[in-house]
Amino acid sequence: MTALIPAGPVSWPDGKTCAVAFTFDVDAESPLLTTDPAFADRMGSMSHQAYGPLVGIPRLLGILDDLQVPATFFVPGYTAHRHPEPIRSLVTAGHEIAHHGYLHESLVGVDEATERAYLQRGMDALVEVTGVTPVGYRAPMWEMNWHTPKLLAEFGFLYDSTLMDSDHPYELAVTDGESLVELPVSWALDDWQQYCFVPDFSVGMIETPAKAIELYRSELDAMREVGGAWILTNHPFLSGRPGRAAALREFIADVAAMDDVWIASMAQIAEHVRAQQLTPRTLTRPEFTPTVRSIDR
Amino acid sequence: MTALIPAGPVSWPDGKTCAVAFTFDVDAESPLLTTDPAFADRMGSMSHQAYGPLVGIPRLLGILDDLQVPATFFVPGYTAHRHPEPIRSLVTAGHEIAHHGYLHESLVGVDEATERAYLQRGMDALVEVTGVTPVGYRAPMWEMNWHTPKLLAEFGFLYDSTLMDSDHPYELAVTDGESLVELPVSWALDDWQQYCFVPDFSVGMIETPAKAIELYRSELDAMREVGGAWILTNHPFLSGRPGRAAALREFIADVAAMDDVWIASMAQIAEHVRAQQLTPRTLTRPEFTPTVRSIDR
Amino acid sequence: MTALIPAGPVSWPDGKTCAVAFTFDVDAESPLLTTDPAFADRMGSMSHQAYGPLVGIPRLLGILDDLQVPATFFVPGYTAHRHPEPIRSLVTAGHEIAHHGYLHESLVGVDEATERAYLQRGMDALVEVTGVTPVGYRAPMWEMNWHTPKLLAEFGFLYDSTLMDSDHPYELAVTDGESLVELPVSWALDDWQQYCFVPDFSVGMIETPAKAIELYRSELDAMREVGGAWILTNHPFLSGRPGRAAALREFIADVAAMDDVWIASMAQIAEHVRAQQLTPRTLTRPEFTPTVRSIDR
Amino acid sequence: MTALIPAGPVSWPDGKTCAVAFTFDVDAESPLLTTDPAFADRMGSMSHQAYGPLVGIPRLLGILDDLQVPATFFVPGYTAHRHPEPIRSLVTAGHEIAHHGYLHESLVGVDEATERAYLQRGMDALVEVTGVTPVGYRAPMWEMNWHTPKLLAEFGFLYDSTLMDSDHPYELAVTDGESLVELPVSWALDDWQQYCFVPDFSVGMIETPAKAIELYRSELDAMREVGGAWILTNHPFLSGRPGRAAALREFIADVAAMDDVWIASMAQIAEHVRAQQLTPRTLTRPEFTPTVRSIDR
């Protein structure tokens, strides 16, 4: 079994010691529809999800504009089809658009050909609606297959943002000598676990904005010591709500005032990492003999 | 695919910048009975739910009276049948009664004829017990069908309060040129997720009243900037408990002292919105091709 | 349908305005064993539950003794059989022992004859191990049947503590003109929802003792205004842990210093209520026509 | 039925009044793979788990080294096979390695022969990778069988750390006059319940580091009064994240400064307990007649 090698440190521009990216997964209706098409019949749930592009995006754009902070929006193709104006407004405001599947399709157990079709469909939708070809990808549900990186390279992506095995970005080796920049995420830096409540879909606790921000802040303060990339993921249908957006605004303003932090789009971070010509890391599927159970009764 | 248009701003009376409604879903026994009729055999669970009309309502009425604040009670018809005196006391105290199904029936997947029967049964019960014909409706579980607005118009309702795609009330287009005022809700403004624990029915965490109120307050403070309608939903069987009611009293008193806030019943808010002759919004069922999965194994 | 009448106020001795009972459900192994007998094979889970009588009870007895506070322990008969010394120590220390089933059997859907057998078995075990005939009962899982009160009267119980429809104790009417004193509980006053984590059995969050105590305190402070009986339920296998017991000690000491509060055993409270010759309340099973669903698809 | 006897007090060296062990369960990929081998196909989940050995372990070793605190790492054999360098680094740094199954196999319902094979496989892997023969064992999922202690004695283990029925370590009687030192754990002293979120595997809340540390601290402060052994369990894939590790560092520093506390490895504590020649406790499987339910309907 080939042992895994951890990612090494990376340097940041202008003497900064930590990179920060504010990212938004603009899921809207898609995660529900891909889980069960019958969710389309639920007018209430659909309205809850539509809040993201309809209300959350304009509000969040206002905050980002006020604070002059760049952000990256991972957009399922279907969101672009159903909500073209909000998605185009992201581009108009100068933010980055990245790929997040077409219908937020789970990739668990999906074969390569099917996954390629999802990628193509998502890509086509983003290009069609925004005219922009995304350079970044994040897998729906933050889960992908061992064949996914090869597919992403095939589509010409510069970076992926799905994996969770590092505080530092790295070059992820792909078959045939190619590589992708990997910008890792963390479940602790996701508003879903703090706020998401949708009956029959995802029913967690609803925390206060103060608690969510305290969680993000504790990780950021430590990441500034670590020197990695701190990548926050919010969902406009959740963090676009007034109280949460107000708390996020205050937090982003605090971060923007930190001298040691480089706030950038994911593409900017990926380009900066790419330029460092890091040796690609090879990740391998675990080899193991499954547990055999011989039960007493 | 027709794109959705977000709701626009609305104005509030007397220079107020935010509307506030304190609403109560008087579910009592009905959500359990509609989920599984065998809950009727559970004397403990039934007593837990009956706390709402028996103890919660008088306590909450006392608070509202002390603070001279109007409120709106969404009452399943069955609650009126089982607890007529508490429900009549709401009317006597001058509060608004609105429709919340008969037995808190889930509308998920329910056809139009069946749903019409639920509406009729709930309406008949409220009129029979209170003599009042409600002008407002909120769907049980905050979930409804695309055919629901047409049915609500058919029954002559002025407003609905089920959807979640806006901070601002709006006119919701119904087929045949009619419209309903929509007064949107939010899962963050619901005591259920903070307090509800009923074995085999709904088993979440039980939070402190201070945490619940902090959550509500953070959303209200931000909504005052946004200028929308902040609509809180409490359940008498939950928020009628002594400690929660005491915390709610203190919070309502704080809100009543806010100069910029218009506290009103849902009907008053709906009438005020109706008078602004807003262009109705058309909401559409998502059109999409369901995900096809071709699995590797 | 006969409407329910809420319980009225009760008076407390010596000018006190609120009654307080510290109760402990000494479940130990029984809830797991009754749920699935195979839990008996899990040495780890069994040790987790045994912590209650082995370590929790001596520690809690020490606290109660230090603070000179009486308490009531609801003991499944099986706990007395498996842990006779800890259970006898409760009696020796002068505390009340009450009935909590034999194996913490769920009463959901159980017929009268079976339930009578559970009651007999639990009663026999308590008498056999402690020599004490309990006068109080609390149903396992705080759930009972409409025939349960009659059975409790048949066994000569003075009080029950299972229902949740009142802040004030009351006389619960039983068929044949008899009645039981009901001492109501509340899910907000139970350590289970704050602390219980047992894999494959009950997997909630584990909160800090400070949060649990804050919750209890908020309800107590309000109940002192209400004038009812505030009845706290802890489980020795949970609240007997060092940090939780220390927090509970501090809280009990605070309560013991409250001039307006009468701390008493459940039997003392029940006797005090009985002496007031209250009119018994009749609780009735909900009558209703179950929801008929006609589904669109 | 033989009644259980609680563990008695133990003494600690050098006038210390409480023993503290910082332990880490280095689960990495194994709990997912043993639950469902198809998790191996999930590159995202695998990367989330690999964070533990790749990033968490170096960070935690740095903290332990800075503070000069010994720790014990419970390592599934498969983790040693997949991540040999991180596991060897634990030994190099002078920390204790202990046994935690091979693939973190659940022992629930597993017969003796199968369990012996798990033990052998885990032992072989640890010896092969580190050259060290572990003297301690902790069962995966903190659950074991009544035949497990005999197997552990057969393998020559000095101690086990799986049970939960005491604040104080004790000698656990094994058949044939042998015994094992038991170093008990507590679900309140485990980072899993505070931080673990892995889709389709374990989906709890994600708490702030401050809340987790407050929980640990409340139990430690009380354990110092009790005089037992306070044993904390963290998982490098969880508590190795920057913000959590920073909070843990601060907490460990606080503990290291407590005059009354003896921080030691589990092996050191076990040896110290063994030297006290305590009378072994006999734990017995509960004997009971399962509940017979006769249902009304």
Side-chain angles (χ1 to χ4, degrees):
Chain A
M1 193 148 49
T2 316
L4 302 179
I5 309 292
V10 295
S11 68
W12 300 117
D14 305 326
K16 305 291 184 181
T17 58
C18 176
V20 160
F22 294 103
T23 76
F24 297 89
D25 289 0
V26 193
D27 294 348
E29 296 91 345
S30 62
L32 281 70
L33 297 178
T34 195
T35 300
D36 180 0
F39 268 114
D41 295 330
R42 301 197 183 196
M43 194 182 183
S45 296
M46 290 299 99
S47 74
H48 181 259
Q49 299 305 115
Y51 185 94
L54 294 178
V55 185
I57 281 184
R59 175 164 298 139
L60 295 166
L61 283 182
I63 293 171
L64 295 169
D65 185 54
D66 288 353
L67 300 173
Q68 286 294 296
V69 161
T72 299
F73 293 79
F74 291 88
V75 184
Y78 182 71
T79 300
H81 275 157
R82 185 158 165 86
H83 304 286
E85 282 314 317
I87 299 310
R88 278 194 281 263
S89 74
L90 302 172
V91 178
T92 306
H95 297 291
E96 181 191 358
I97 302 273
H99 196 300
H100 198 42
Y102 180 74
L103 204 64
H104 205 270
E105 300 90 351
S106 166
L107 302 184
V108 175
V110 168
D111 66 23
E112 199 176 310
T114 303
E115 191 173 332
R116 185 180 290 111
Y118 295 165
L119 282 166
Q120 188 65 57
R121 207 177 168 200
M123 182 66 87
D124 290 348
L126 291 188
V127 171
E128 176 196 336
V129 171
T130 69
V132 174
T133 301
V135 302
Y137 176 80
R138 178 176 286 161
M141 306 298 297
W142 301 8
E143 187 58 274
M144 66 188 196
N145 297 302
W146 298 95
H147 58 240
T148 304
K150 183 170 66 92
L151 288 172
L152 298 180
E154 194 181 306
F155 274 81
F157 284 106
L158 166 64
Y159 74 87
D160 169 70
S161 178
T162 304
L163 301 181
M164 289 172 264
D165 61 347
S166 177
D167 300 322
H168 296 88
Y170 55 88
E171 288 282 351
L172 172 65
V174 178
T175 44
D176 305 326
E178 288 177 295
S179 67
L180 285 167
V181 175
E182 179 63 35
L183 302 178
V185 288
S186 161
W187 292 119
L189 299 176
D190 181 6
D191 64 351
W192 192 285
Q193 284 75 39
Q194 306 304 318
Y195 297 144
C196 193
F197 183 89
V198 178
D200 300 326
F201 176 67
S202 178
V203 287
M205 272 304 302
I206 298 182
E207 296 286 28
T208 61
K211 187 255 170 157
I213 298 294
E214 181 193 343
L215 177 63
Y216 307 157
R217 197 183 292 269
S218 68
E219 286 297 327
L220 175 58
D221 286 346
M223 190 64 96
R224 292 161 74 188
E225 303 294 321
V226 167
W230 181 91
I231 298 168
L232 181 67
T233 300
N234 286 308
H235 296 76
F237 79 92
L238 296 170
S239 285
R241 293 270 163 197
R244 296 166 185 165
L248 186 62
R249 172 197 289 269
E250 196 178 336
F251 176 57
I252 295 177
D254 288 351
V255 178
M258 294 173 183
D259 283 343
D260 55 331
V261 162
W262 178 45
I263 304 181
S265 73
M266 295 287 272
Q268 289 171 319
I269 296 176
E271 281 156 14
H272 181 81
V273 170
R274 171 58 49 93
Q276 297 180 44
Q277 300 188 297
L278 305 171
T279 304
R281 292 178 70 212
T282 297
L283 302 186
T284 54
R285 186 182 181 285
E287 296 163 29
F288 67 106
T289 312
T291 303
V292 176
R293 290 169 57 89
S294 171
I295 301 296
D296 241 353
R297 286 156 278 145
Chain B
M1 191 149 49
T2 315
L4 302 178
I5 309 293
V10 295
S11 69
W12 301 117
D14 305 325
K16 305 291 185 182
T17 57
C18 177
V20 160
F22 294 102
T23 75
F24 298 88
D25 289 0
V26 193
D27 294 347
E29 296 90 345
S30 63
L32 281 69
L33 298 178
T34 194
T35 300
D36 180 359
F39 268 114
D41 295 329
R42 299 196 185 197
M43 193 184 184
S45 296
M46 291 299 99
S47 74
H48 181 258
Q49 299 305 115
Y51 185 94
L54 295 178
V55 185
I57 282 184
R59 175 165 299 139
L60 295 165
L61 282 181
I63 293 171
L64 296 168
D65 185 53
D66 287 353
L67 300 173
Q68 287 295 295
V69 161
T72 299
F73 294 79
F74 291 88
V75 184
Y78 182 72
T79 299
H81 275 156
R82 184 158 165 88
H83 304 284
E85 282 315 317
I87 299 309
R88 279 194 280 264
S89 74
L90 302 173
V91 178
T92 306
H95 297 291
E96 181 191 358
I97 301 273
H99 196 300
H100 197 41
Y102 180 74
L103 203 64
H104 205 269
E105 300 89 351
S106 167
L107 302 184
V108 175
V110 169
D111 67 21
E112 200 176 309
T114 304
E115 191 173 332
R116 185 180 289 109
Y118 295 165
L119 282 166
Q120 189 63 57
R121 205 177 169 200
M123 182 65 88
D124 290 349
L126 290 187
V127 171
E128 177 197 333
V129 171
T130 69
V132 175
T133 300
V135 302
Y137 176 80
R138 178 176 287 162
M141 306 298 298
W142 300 10
E143 187 58 273
M144 66 188 196
N145 298 301
W146 297 95
H147 59 238
T148 303
K150 183 170 65 93
L151 288 172
L152 298 180
E154 193 181 306
F155 274 81
F157 285 106
L158 167 64
Y159 75 88
D160 169 68
S161 178
T162 304
L163 301 181
M164 290 172 264
D165 61 348
S166 177
D167 300 322
H168 296 89
Y170 56 88
E171 288 283 351
L172 172 65
V174 177
T175 46
D176 306 326
E178 287 178 295
S179 66
L180 285 167
V181 175
E182 178 63 34
L183 302 177
V185 288
S186 161
W187 291 119
L189 299 175
D190 180 6
D191 64 352
W192 193 285
Q193 285 74 40
Q194 306 305 317
Y195 296 144
C196 193
F197 183 89
V198 178
D200 299 327
F201 176 67
S202 179
V203 287
M205 271 306 301
I206 298 182
E207 296 286 28
T208 62
K211 187 255 169 157
I213 298 295
E214 181 193 343
L215 177 63
Y216 307 157
R217 196 181 294 268
S218 68
E219 285 298 327
L220 175 58
D221 285 346
M223 189 64 96
R224 292 160 74 187
E225 302 294 321
V226 168
W230 181 92
I231 298 168
L232 181 67
T233 300
N234 286 309
H235 295 76
F237 79 91
L238 296 171
S239 286
R241 294 270 163 196
R244 296 166 186 166
L248 186 61
R249 173 197 287 269
E250 195 179 336
F251 176 58
I252 295 177
D254 288 351
V255 178
M258 295 173 183
D259 283 344
D260 55 332
V261 161
W262 178 45
I263 304 180
S265 74
M266 295 286 273
Q268 288 170 320
I269 296 176
E271 281 157 15
H272 180 81
V273 170
R274 171 57 50 93
Q276 297 181 44
Q277 300 186 298
L278 305 170
T279 304
R281 292 177 71 211
T282 298
L283 302 186
T284 55
R285 185 181 181 286
E287 296 162 28
F288 67 105
T289 312
T291 302
V292 176
R293 289 170 56 89
S294 171
I295 300 297
D296 241 353
R297 286 156 280 147
Chain C
M1 191 149 50
T2 315
L4 302 178
I5 309 294
V10 295
S11 68
W12 301 118
D14 305 324
K16 305 291 185 182
T17 58
C18 177
V20 160
F22 294 103
T23 76
F24 297 88
D25 289 0
V26 193
D27 293 348
E29 296 90 345
S30 62
L32 280 69
L33 298 178
T34 195
T35 300
D36 180 359
F39 268 114
D41 296 328
R42 299 197 185 197
M43 193 181 183
S45 295
M46 291 298 100
S47 74
H48 182 258
Q49 299 304 114
Y51 186 95
L54 294 178
V55 185
I57 282 185
R59 175 165 299 140
L60 296 165
L61 282 182
I63 293 172
L64 295 167
D65 185 54
D66 288 352
L67 300 173
Q68 286 294 295
V69 162
T72 300
F73 293 79
F74 291 88
V75 183
Y78 182 72
T79 299
H81 274 157
R82 183 157 167 89
H83 304 284
E85 282 314 316
I87 299 309
R88 278 194 281 264
S89 74
L90 302 172
V91 178
T92 306
H95 297 292
E96 181 192 358
I97 301 274
H99 196 301
H100 198 41
Y102 180 74
L103 202 64
H104 205 269
E105 300 89 352
S106 167
L107 302 183
V108 174
V110 169
D111 67 22
E112 199 175 310
T114 304
E115 191 173 332
R116 185 180 290 108
Y118 295 164
L119 282 165
Q120 189 64 56
R121 206 177 168 201
M123 182 65 88
D124 290 349
L126 291 187
V127 172
E128 176 196 334
V129 171
T130 69
V132 175
T133 300
V135 302
Y137 176 80
R138 178 176 287 160
M141 305 298 297
W142 300 9
E143 188 57 273
M144 67 188 195
N145 297 301
W146 298 94
H147 59 239
T148 303
K150 184 170 64 92
L151 288 172
L152 298 179
E154 194 180 307
F155 275 81
F157 284 106
L158 166 64
Y159 74 88
D160 170 68
S161 178
T162 304
L163 301 181
M164 289 172 264
D165 62 347
S166 176
D167 301 322
H168 296 89
Y170 55 88
E171 289 282 352
L172 171 66
V174 177
T175 45
D176 306 327
E178 288 177 293
S179 67
L180 284 167
V181 176
E182 178 63 35
L183 302 178
V185 288
S186 161
W187 291 120
L189 299 175
D190 180 6
D191 63 353
W192 192 285
Q193 286 73 40
Q194 307 304 317
Y195 297 145
C196 193
F197 182 90
V198 178
D200 299 327
F201 176 67
S202 178
V203 286
M205 270 306 300
I206 298 183
E207 296 286 28
T208 61
K211 187 256 169 157
I213 298 295
E214 181 192 342
L215 177 63
Y216 307 157
R217 197 183 292 269
S218 68
E219 286 297 327
L220 175 59
D221 285 345
M223 189 63 96
R224 292 160 75 187
E225 302 295 320
V226 167
W230 181 92
I231 298 168
L232 181 68
T233 301
N234 285 309
H235 295 77
F237 79 92
L238 295 171
S239 286
R241 293 270 163 196
R244 297 167 185 164
L248 185 61
R249 172 196 288 268
E250 196 178 336
F251 176 58
I252 295 178
D254 288 351
V255 178
M258 294 173 183
D259 282 344
D260 55 331
V261 162
W262 178 46
I263 304 179
S265 74
M266 296 286 272
Q268 289 172 320
I269 297 175
E271 281 157 15
H272 181 81
V273 170
R274 171 57 50 94
Q276 296 180 45
Q277 300 187 298
L278 305 170
T279 305
R281 293 178 70 211
T282 298
L283 301 187
T284 54
R285 185 181 180 285
E287 297 163 28
F288 67 106
T289 312
T291 302
V292 176
R293 289 170 56 89
S294 171
I295 301 295
D296 241 353
R297 286 155 282 147
Chain D
M1 192 148 49
T2 316
L4 302 179
I5 309 294
V10 294
S11 67
W12 301 118
D14 306 324
K16 304 292 184 181
T17 58
C18 176
V20 160
F22 294 103
T23 76
F24 298 88
D25 289 0
V26 193
D27 294 348
E29 295 92 344
S30 62
L32 281 69
L33 298 178
T34 195
T35 300
D36 180 358
F39 268 114
D41 295 329
R42 300 195 185 197
M43 194 182 182
S45 296
M46 291 299 99
S47 74
H48 182 259
Q49 299 304 115
Y51 185 95
L54 295 179
V55 185
I57 281 185
R59 175 165 299 140
L60 296 164
L61 283 182
I63 294 171
L64 296 168
D65 185 54
D66 287 353
L67 301 172
Q68 285 295 296
V69 162
T72 299
F73 293 80
F74 291 88
V75 184
Y78 182 72
T79 300
H81 274 157
R82 183 158 166 87
H83 304 284
E85 282 314 317
I87 299 310
R88 279 194 281 262
S89 74
L90 302 172
V91 178
T92 307
H95 296 292
E96 182 191 357
I97 301 273
H99 196 301
H100 198 40
Y102 179 75
L103 203 65
H104 204 270
E105 300 89 351
S106 166
L107 302 184
V108 175
V110 169
D111 66 23
E112 200 176 309
T114 304
E115 191 174 331
R116 185 179 290 110
Y118 295 165
L119 282 166
Q120 188 66 56
R121 207 177 166 201
M123 182 65 89
D124 290 348
L126 291 188
V127 171
E128 176 197 333
V129 171
T130 68
V132 175
T133 301
V135 302
Y137 176 80
R138 178 177 286 161
M141 307 297 298
W142 300 9
E143 186 59 273
M144 66 189 196
N145 297 301
W146 298 95
H147 58 239
T148 304
K150 183 169 66 90
L151 288 173
L152 298 180
E154 194 180 306
F155 274 81
F157 284 106
L158 167 64
Y159 74 87
D160 170 68
S161 178
T162 304
L163 301 181
M164 289 173 264
D165 62 348
S166 176
D167 300 323
H168 296 88
Y170 55 88
E171 289 282 351
L172 172 65
V174 178
T175 45
D176 306 326
E178 289 177 293
S179 67
L180 284 167
V181 175
E182 179 64 34
L183 302 178
V185 288
S186 161
W187 291 120
L189 298 176
D190 181 5
D191 64 352
W192 192 285
Q193 285 73 40
Q194 306 304 317
Y195 297 144
C196 193
F197 182 88
V198 179
D200 300 327
F201 176 68
S202 178
V203 287
M205 272 306 300
I206 298 183
E207 297 286 27
T208 62
K211 187 256 170 155
I213 298 294
E214 181 192 343
L215 177 62
Y216 307 157
R217 197 183 292 270
S218 68
E219 285 298 327
L220 175 59
D221 285 346
M223 190 64 96
R224 293 160 73 187
E225 302 295 320
V226 167
W230 181 93
I231 298 168
L232 181 67
T233 300
N234 286 309
H235 296 76
F237 80 92
L238 296 171
S239 285
R241 292 270 164 197
R244 297 166 184 164
L248 186 61
R249 172 196 288 269
E250 197 179 335
F251 176 58
I252 295 178
D254 287 352
V255 178
M258 294 173 182
D259 282 344
D260 55 331
V261 161
W262 178 45
I263 304 180
S265 73
M266 295 286 272
Q268 289 171 319
I269 296 176
E271 281 157 15
H272 181 81
V273 170
R274 171 57 51 92
Q276 296 181 45
Q277 299 187 298
L278 305 170
T279 304
R281 293 178 69 211
T282 298
L283 302 187
T284 54
R285 186 183 179 284
E287 297 164 27
F288 68 105
T289 312
T291 303
V292 176
R293 289 169 56 88
S294 171
I295 301 296
D296 242 351
R297 286 155 280 147

